[in-house]
Amino acid sequence: MSLHQLLQEPPYDAEQQDKQRIYEQVINSLSDTADNKMKEVCSNLDTDQQDALMRYIYKGLENCDNSLKLLKWHGHLSDVAGLGCIMRIMSEKRKRVL
């Protein structure tokens, strides 16, 4: 499944094992993407997908999963989506958990 598809409908209300499976697929997809393609991928996502990707990036950083690559993704996504992406995630009243 492509990253675009994985981010289309994040499993916010799914069972924990389903969330974990999709999280691992997203992290693997991010890890497999060449550095020079990151900005292009981020640009091709809509706002909801960008927000979901940022949530996965933060979860990956929290879990120390390939932190260097995730920091690169964070930089590219922040450039494309702006600080609003980060602010929406940090200021939500109801945390969406992935």
Side-chain angles (χ1 to χ4, degrees):
M1 189 177 281
S2 74
L3 181 61
H4 188 271
Q5 291 171 316
L6 291 168
L7 298 173
Q8 190 66 37
E9 292 185 36
Y12 297 122
D13 297 322
E15 296 292 325
Q16 189 57 41
Q17 70 256 16
D18 294 331
K19 288 182 182 184
Q20 183 63 30
R21 180 180 48 81
I22 293 172
Y23 164 77
E24 290 170 4
Q25 290 175 345
V26 169
I27 294 299
N28 288 337
S29 180
L30 296 178
S31 296
D32 291 344
T33 303
D35 291 357
N36 64 349
K37 297 289 184 186
M38 291 177 181
K39 195 164 206 156
E40 178 185 343
V41 170
C42 292
S43 296
N44 289 326
L45 300 174
D46 65 29
T47 302
D48 290 335
Q49 291 169 319
Q50 290 171 344
D51 289 357
L53 178 55
M54 190 64 82
R55 284 184 187 89
Y56 281 116
I57 290 170
Y58 283 138
K59 182 174 181 173
L61 290 170
E62 183 180 307
N63 294 331
C64 298
D65 290 333
N66 201 350
S67 296
L68 180 59
K69 188 78 167 197
L70 292 177
L71 287 172
K72 290 179 184 179
W73 272 104
H74 186 278
H76 289 292
L77 183 55
S78 296
D79 287 346
V80 170
L83 294 178
C85 180
I86 297 168
M87 295 304 297
R88 283 188 296 277
I89 293 166
M90 296 299 175
S91 65
E92 286 181 334
K93 291 180 182 177
R94 186 188 122 225
K95 293 271 186 187
R96 292 184 178 183
V97 180
L98 294 171

